[in-house]
Amino acid sequence: MLSASAPTTGSESGLGLDRIIELLPEIGVAMGQTFVMLLVAIPLAILLGTPLGVWLYSASPVGLKPRPRAHRIVDSLVNTIRSFPFLILLIAIIPITRFIVGTTIGTAAVIVPLTINAIPYFARFVEQNLTQLGSGVVEAARAMGATRGQIVRDVLLVEARPALIGSITIMTVSFISYSAMAGLVGGGGIGDFAIRYGYYRYETVVMLAAIVLMIALVQVVQIGGTRLARVLDKR
Amino acid sequence: MISLRNVSTTFRGKDGDFTAVNDVSLEIPAGSIQGIIGFSGAGKSTLLRNINLLERPTRGQVVLDGVDLTALDDERLRRERHQIGMIFQHFNLLNNRTALQNVELSLKFAGIEKAERRRRAQEALEIVDLAEKSTSYPAQLSGGQKQRVAIARALVTHPKVLLCDEPTSAVDPRTTASVLQYIADINQSLGITTVVVTHELNVVKAIADNVAVMENGAVVERFDVADLAAGTFEPGTEIGRYLLDEEIHLDRTPLAGRRDPASGAPLRGRDGKELAHA
């Protein structure tokens, strides 16, 4: 195994390129795990966070259908989940994780806390983006006899689309970083790879290689997200 | 015909209640153009929103062709709103939809089939002479064009009523005439009862049949534009006189007698002399 054959460290052997080449398969696996985590957690967060965010917007005291008391409760629940440091959330919800995916270790087990963390995170983005649209288009839609569902689907979410793409981009970048803590429950991923080799084994060059990969990943996500938002934004 | 019967609207606020519309009764004959004029905060926009219940009156009734809108449930009210088009000072178009899609949306909300929506939306854009702009986004249109798209959106459902909230306040004077021309033409040829809220006397003079003057939430004065044009109308209130007086009067020395808050010394002009009344 690789862990048994690591006598050289990057800082002592020049560039340590051969060490990186030696670890390439493992880096590939780690990148794959990161992709899986993001590709499951982010879409799930969008799928579940959007209705929650729309509800937060709609039920607020100035929303489409104010429900002040229910809003207060859900609002503080969202804040509560958002307050947990991710590492603690990861541990705290182990029973829930076991219930949902049947295991508490591995990549699948990390996806649960990532998603649970991401849902209220994205819901806040949705709420914020809808609030910032202003009352003009909502008023016009009401005057046209739109139902609340139509106002949300055909007006608010359409008008907020560029802002929502921006929010998804920010969320994805944040969760590339969060996913690094997956190692704690054996979830793997490129961030975990960097921690294991750089932090635990002082293989600085290997860590740097992993970090360069993460930088590249963040760049691709950010540039792609910005482009997409710009194309969709007709203002 | 639109009948407003003893309509009042009170907003509850942190600093107490504010009555924006105070016991207004108004009959607007079918097919006519009713102007509502007044200064900012007079309650005219709230009164306009009382007609389609965007702002539900605290008291009183709004009756459209015999139907008391204030007595309807949400579902019936939504259906009545398909009969009441509305345009706004800032157009309120959807930025991420084309002109055609904006107009179509109105039909979608009215439950019209997709194929028919496209055809009727094209037709409505044709009426406001914007057929060639159907694929443009609002950002690519001028203020006047945006308002014309909004007019198309409002009339595409064949409404009985068109509500106009400061329709020309965000466009330049030349565009104002064009926008008003479309509203007047549509009123004439389609017989749509039209209500125009504005703070510009020129607008009501150009377009309205009857005018109501509002101040502090109440209608304080009414007149026929025909009487105004004939010079036989004498305003009975100060606000009426002020509104009908198109001259702008300035106090030439508004700062006379003011003192510097720090030193208490009288303010002096560039020539070193104290500011004084001319």
Side-chain angles (χ1 to χ4, degrees):
Chain A
M1 281 301 290
L2 289 166
S3 52
S5 62
T8 54
T9 61
S11 51
E12 285 161 23
S13 62
L15 284 172
L17 272 179
D18 29 338
R19 179 65 178 143
I20 293 172
I21 290 165
E22 195 185 332
L23 288 173
L24 266 183
E26 204 178 329
I27 291 175
V29 169
M31 280 298 274
Q33 288 166 331
T34 295
F35 278 126
V36 168
M37 283 187 252
L38 295 177
L39 286 177
V40 178
I42 300 292
L44 272 177
I46 296 168
L47 209 66
L48 301 170
T50 304
L52 178 58
V54 167
W55 190 90
L56 282 170
Y57 165 82
S58 178
S60 87
V62 292
L64 296 173
K65 188 172 174 51
R67 289 187 179 92
R69 281 177 63 187
H71 184 265
R72 258 202 305 280
I73 293 167
V74 176
D75 195 62
S76 44
L77 196 69
V78 165
N79 285 343
T80 307
I81 299 176
R82 304 238 308 117
S83 308
F84 275 84
F86 183 63
L87 210 61
I88 295 174
L89 184 80
L90 193 71
I91 309 294
I93 64 157
I94 279 178
I96 301 174
T97 304
R98 182 180 289 126
F99 177 75
I100 294 175
V101 292
T103 177
T104 60
I105 53 166
T107 308
V110 187
I111 289 175
V112 177
L114 270 180
T115 308
I116 288 180
N117 196 27
I119 290 169
Y121 190 94
F122 190 62
R124 280 286 184 236
F125 271 130
V126 172
E127 180 192 19
Q128 186 72 13
N129 291 337
L130 298 189
T131 306
Q132 284 181 351
L133 289 178
S135 57
V137 284
V138 174
E139 192 174 43
R142 286 180 62 215
M144 286 187 265
T147 61
R148 278 193 293 276
Q150 285 172 328
I151 293 174
V152 169
R153 280 193 308 276
D154 294 324
V155 177
L156 291 172
L157 290 179
V158 172
E159 286 297 274
R161 205 162 45 192
L164 289 172
I165 298 291
S167 300
I168 291 169
T169 308
I170 294 172
M171 176 170 71
T172 307
V173 168
S174 297
F175 279 76
I176 290 171
S177 166
Y178 283 156
S179 71
M181 292 176 224
L184 208 71
V185 291
I190 191 68
D192 171 49
F193 178 88
I195 293 171
R196 274 188 293 134
Y197 282 87
Y199 185 71
Y200 293 136
R201 294 164 74 165
Y202 301 104
E203 291 195 47
T204 311
V205 172
V206 178
M207 179 186 74
L208 286 178
I211 289 173
V212 166
L213 277 177
M214 291 182 80
I215 292 171
L217 185 57
V218 168
Q219 291 282 9
V220 167
V221 168
Q222 186 64 54
I223 292 171
T226 307
R227 287 239 175 104
L228 185 58
R230 199 180 303 147
V231 169
L232 289 175
D233 196 350
K234 308 295 184 189
R235 274 177 298 175
Chain B
M1 173 148 97
I2 306 168
S3 302
L4 301 174
R5 297 178 188 159
N6 304 101
V7 169
S8 294
T9 305
T10 301
F11 296 111
R12 299 194 167 280
K14 283 195 198 98
D15 316 320
D17 295 352
F18 171 71
T19 300
V21 173
N22 192 2
D23 196 26
V24 169
S25 294
L26 197 62
E27 302 258 297
I28 303 170
S32 71
I33 301 185
Q34 172 75 48
I36 299 174
I37 192 165
F39 295 119
S40 297
K44 52 195 193 305
S45 280
T46 304
L47 184 67
L48 190 75
R49 281 161 176 71
N50 283 155
I51 296 175
N52 62 356
L53 269 68
L54 280 186
E55 209 60 75
R56 191 173 274 278
T58 326
R59 272 198 313 277
Q61 291 171 309
V62 179
V63 181
L64 173 61
D65 289 345
V67 179
D68 182 359
L69 300 185
T70 47
L72 300 180
D73 59 30
D74 280 3
E75 183 59 34
R76 295 262 333 263
L77 176 61
R78 281 202 312 101
R79 257 179 279 152
E80 283 297 324
R81 279 180 180 157
H82 301 140
Q83 307 277 321
I84 309 173
M86 187 168 187
I87 63 172
F88 304 85
Q89 177 173 3
H90 297 295
F91 325 121
N92 295 353
L93 297 176
L94 274 69
N95 290 317
N96 291 320
R97 288 185 187 267
T98 63
L100 187 69
Q101 289 168 340
N102 264 286
V103 179
E104 273 186 57
L105 199 56
S106 184
L107 293 167
K108 183 177 187 185
F109 294 158
I112 309 294
E113 288 298 315
K114 185 150 181 60
E116 198 189 340
R117 291 208 292 260
R118 178 61 46 93
R119 186 182 59 75
R120 278 173 63 177
Q122 289 280 12
E123 200 177 275
L125 282 177
E126 187 71 53
I127 292 177
V128 293
D129 297 316
L130 280 177
E132 79 283 7
K133 294 286 186 190
S134 62
T135 57
S136 300
Y137 288 92
Q140 299 164 313
L141 302 174
S142 71
Q145 289 172 330
K146 283 184 214 174
Q147 195 60 294
R148 279 148 63 191
V149 173
I151 292 171
R153 178 175 75 174
L155 64 86
V156 72
T157 54
H158 304 319
K160 293 189 281 196
V161 175
L162 178 63
L163 306 178
C164 311
D165 185 23
E166 300 275 7
T168 59
S169 297
V171 300
D172 67 51
R174 201 171 39 170
T175 311
T176 293
S178 141
V179 167
L180 294 179
Q181 187 68 60
Y182 281 106
I183 295 174
D185 285 352
I186 287 160
N187 166 265
Q188 282 289 311
S189 43
L190 305 178
I192 298 178
T193 312
T194 305
V195 187
V196 181
V197 158
T198 179
H199 64 272
E200 297 167 285
L201 179 69
N202 275 329
V203 170
V204 290
K205 258 164 68 176
I207 198 170
D209 301 312
N210 307 294
V211 179
V213 180
M214 283 189 78
E215 188 183 24
N216 295 329
V219 170
V220 292
E221 180 122 37
R222 293 154 202 240
F223 56 87
D224 274 354
V225 170
D227 291 339
L228 186 66
T232 52
F233 170 67
E234 266 303 312
T237 60
E238 196 187 337
I239 190 92
R241 279 191 292 278
Y242 201 100
L243 277 168
L244 300 196
D245 181 5
E246 283 164 75
E247 303 275 323
I248 294 177
H249 303 284
L250 293 184
D251 182 352
R252 303 302 302 190
T253 54
L255 298 178
R258 299 265 183 98
R259 285 173 180 279
D260 181 54
S263 66
L267 288 182
R268 290 173 190 280
R270 261 193 311 202
D271 55 4
K273 289 186 189 146
E274 276 185 29
L275 297 177
H277 287 287

